[in-house]
Amino acid sequence: MRNLLKTAAAIAMTGWLCSCSGEKTEANYRVIPIPQEIVMAAGSEFTLSSGVKIIYPEGNEAMQRNARYLADYLKKATGMDYRVEAGTEGKGNILLQVLPDAEKPEAYQLKVNGEGVVISGASEAGVFYGIQTLRKSIPVVAGSTPVLAGVEINDAPRFDYRGAHFDVSRHFFTVDEVKSFIDMMTLHNMNRLHWHITDDQGWRIEIKKYPLLTEIGSQRKETVIGRNSGEYDGKPYGGFYTQEQAKEIVAYAAERYITVIPEIDLPGHMQAALAAYPHLGCTGGPYDVWTIWGVSDNVLCAGNDSVLTFIDDVLAEIMDIFPSEYIHIGGDECPKVKWQACPKCQARIKALGIKSDAKHSKEEYLQSFIINHGEKFLNAHGRQMIGWDETLEGGLAPNATVMSWRGEGGGIEAAKQHHDVIMTPNTYLYFDYYQTKDTENEPLGIGGYLPLERVYGYEPMPRSLTPEEQKYIIGVQANHWTEYIPTLSHLQYMALPRWAALCEVQWSSPEEKNYQDFLSRLPQLIKLYQAEGYNYAKHVFDVTADFRANAQTGVVEVSMKTIDNAPIHYTLDGTEPTAASPVADSVLAIKENCTFRAVAVRPEGNSRILSEKIAFSKSTCKPIVANQPVNKQYEFKGVSTLVDGLKGNGNYKTGRWIAFYRNDMDVTIDLQEPTEISSVAFTTCVEKGDWVFDVRGITVEVSDDNKTFTKVFSEEYPAMKETDRNGLYEHKQTFEPVKARYVHILAPSEHSIPAWHGGKGNPGFLFVDEIVID
């Protein structure tokens, strides 16, 4: 990691000399996010010498604050103090002005010529974003004098809602740490902080009418170690924000043109509240603040009138603290098992005349009753509701905005119903997911795999929507759930530089986006991360490798690259690669068992070593056909993933696994000539909480002509039990040696999840990796 830090610093400083007093540095306007229009003016430049002033309109407090921010940014970059003054004379200075005639209120123009700098905004916020572009254009070199080339930049954000979600319920963060999070948002042109302040594991906001929410609900007696290991740390954990502290955070964000949107997650995710006020639950408790991760079955009792009063009272105080138009009331992951057994809930269902139908159960319609109650209360006080996409179940509240997290499906459905949508799909924008496949050398994470390139490639406007329907996609947000993120340093590591990719998705026009160009601009932003002391992840400087099974040549082809085209050296015998090892200057062709290792060699320090074991069997790099479709969401490189010689680890989202959903693994492998075989093996990855289950059976058939098949092995497996472990399951089937060219393997997925599971009756996912035939 120390070498990577050196590497990052060296790359970020490319073209910038080490500081010496009075050194001149050149601005680079190709920042992140890339502005919509940059027009250079040849032969015209302006020097930000110490005599330059920052001028703002007299009497405009927000603009005065903008000017001071710019002065602070410039001092951090150069070490020089720049005077801030009210006035209108921009010649020889930096002039800040509001010209409210643009279509978007956050639009700005940054103009530089020999007479000075003018930043014009459609609002004070627009000026602020122009300041951010200027800030990011100037190298951070102590004792330097920036030289700004002549330019005209015209820019405006693509989306009005550019969000970052911050969970402080699972782990608590101090007021100063929340402010640091806001400062990070500022650097990335974000304007909405979605603050997740209540959950099963802790209630973090003072509600004066219900003091036990913080007295009891903010404290858990201990915390589970790892991923619900059954072992606990034995340490009390807690913390909360007073209403005054929350207002302080709201004001701090507002000064940076960021709106704080609080989330009071209901009717599920409420066990911390129930621990404080057990009469609000279906059973009356007793309850404890939850000490494990996941989703508790204990939820607010939908048949209890005091629950409706509680919701109104809490939302009333929340609205007093948070002036935001939107209030988020959750609506996600609310198990219905307690409602099904609760006489009060069933009486409410009967009184409301609710009945199950083909679309929803009566309990799902009951949840809609609770959500609608919350929305009506908010609307009556001039506020709007946001909810997670589960709020679509049972019918969406009339004026609600939907936050689509379970992929894009909920957002698409809501947009078609003409509801505003914020896209935050877990498949692209959950930043508690791992950033690398090498999870053994990462801090503990929730799982998943979400590299920088995948974030950057996200397009929030689904093609399945008409242009009119796409207008309801109003924003994009990344989520940071903190079960496994206990510190601000760790959170920064998970966020950066993925926020750089995110903010370009949120701000820049799709036609302006190019990943390779983005990578060339990233080191300049990373220099600012260093200046601010942010703990950013450095995977972007590692070797990236693409492994592909070539069925025509029978080899695994390995293509490698680095962000800066640094030389890549490799070995195939498992030894550590060095500068003396062979250079990977072309596509490698691997045709036998090996341990492949590669490293980027730089004068400032080498990257981490990429290591992969490639194992050949009789099926490796052979033609393979899927007789039933692979699930599109987890298709990755397709069915050839099953014969590429690489095995996946316990993270099913790394691209080493492919999934089948509502279909079975049903594949035929062509060994290309009659071959004696006596075993077929493959691995499944099980994560029951994510609806990922093991196979329900295995059948192996062989053929000489791909028409007539003979069964050589068949076995059925029972449904998984609740006590069965998650993780990898090795399946190896042996049989009497047989000679055949074609091998057909059928492994049924779980078509109906067992009754003990929250997803009972639904189909489960089946994740499969390498098929080994010997």
Side-chain angles (χ1 to χ4, degrees), residues 65-233:
R65 197 163 49 240
N66 283 348
R68 286 176 177 163
Y69 285 138
L70 178 54
D72 289 344
Y73 297 147
L74 292 177
K75 182 168 185 178
K76 190 166 287 188
T78 67
M80 284 195 293
D81 289 308
Y82 292 86
R83 288 176 58 189
V84 171
E85 291 185 3
T88 57
E89 178 53 54
K91 191 171 183 180
N93 296 312
I94 301 174
L95 177 64
L96 308 182
Q97 59 184 13
V98 177
L99 300 175
D101 59 353
E103 186 176 324
K104 283 183 172 282
E106 294 172 312
Y108 71 89
Q109 181 187 77
L110 170 61
K111 199 167 184 177
V112 179
N113 56 35
E115 295 187 346
V117 179
V118 179
I119 302 177
S120 307
S123 66
E124 289 83 356
V127 173
F128 186 72
Y129 292 118
I131 287 171
Q132 296 305 318
T133 294
L134 181 60
R135 166 198 187 185
K136 286 180 269 194
S137 299
I138 296 173
V140 178
V141 179
S144 64
T145 301
V147 177
L148 311 180
V151 72
E152 182 176 314
I153 297 175
N154 293 289
D155 198 13
R158 182 185 184 193
F159 290 101
D160 294 335
Y161 184 114
R162 303 180 303 281
H165 158 283
F166 191 6
D167 169 18
V168 296
S169 297
R170 277 48 179 266
H171 281 101
F172 179 73
F173 294 79
T174 66
V175 170
D176 285 343
E177 288 173 330
V178 177
K179 288 179 178 179
S180 292
F181 188 90
I182 290 167
D183 289 337
M184 287 166 54
M185 292 178 65
T186 296
L187 181 61
H188 295 85
N189 291 26
M190 297 179 190
N191 66 355
R192 298 290 189 276
L193 168 56
H194 172 183
W195 205 19
H196 188 87
I197 47 179
T198 68
D199 217 298
D200 293 319
Q201 294 84 6
W203 184 285
R204 305 288 176 215
I205 187 71
E206 177 190 22
I207 302 296
K208 295 187 178 188
K209 196 165 186 178
Y210 296 89
L212 297 183
L213 287 173
T214 46
E215 185 178 324
I216 294 174
S218 70
Q219 305 291 323
R220 59 178 180 258
K221 63 182 179 182
E222 59 186 355
T223 303
V224 70
I225 296 171
R227 295 195 188 94
N228 290 345
S229 63
E231 298 180 7
Y232 295 84
D233 62 11

Side-chain angles (χ1 to χ4, degrees), residues 33 97 313 469 545 569:
Q97 59 184 13
D313 291 341
E469 290 167 339
H569 297 259

Side-chain angles (χ1 to χ4, degrees), residues 600-655:
V601 175
R602 300 181 177 98
E604 307 80 16
N606 295 351
S607 72
R608 291 185 300 187
I609 293 174
L610 171 70
S611 183
E612 292 287 355
K613 287 186 177 180
I614 302 175
F616 277 73
S617 73
K618 293 177 181 178
S619 53
T620 306
C621 297
K622 295 298 193 296
I624 181 171
V625 174
N627 303 311
Q628 296 185 42
V630 179
N631 177 254
K632 285 293 181 185
Q633 186 177 356
Y634 299 104
E635 186 176 30
F636 299 111
K637 294 177 184 174
V639 70
S640 64
T641 302
L642 299 178
V643 291
D644 62 4
L646 301 166
K647 283 199 171 185
N649 58 18
N651 182 351
Y652 63 81
K653 297 178 182 176
T654 59

Side-chain angles (χ1 to χ4, degrees), residues 456-488:
Y456 192 82
Y458 178 53
E459 171 46 50
M461 291 293 188
R463 293 180 181 177
S464 60
L465 296 178
T466 66
E468 185 62 31
E469 290 167 339
Q470 286 184 347
K471 293 177 182 177
Y472 291 94
I473 310 296
I474 63 169
V476 183
Q477 174 179 292
N479 292 344
H480 305 79
W481 300 102
T482 61
E483 289 94 333
Y484 306 103
I485 304 178
T487 67
L488 181 64

Side-chain angles (χ1 to χ4, degrees), residues 30 54 87 92 123 309 373 387 401 445 490 540 542 653 698 749:
R30 294 189 59 76
I54 303 170
S123 66
T309 303
H373 176 89
T401 295
H490 188 173
V540 71
D542 291 348
K653 297 178 182 176
I698 300 168
S749 63

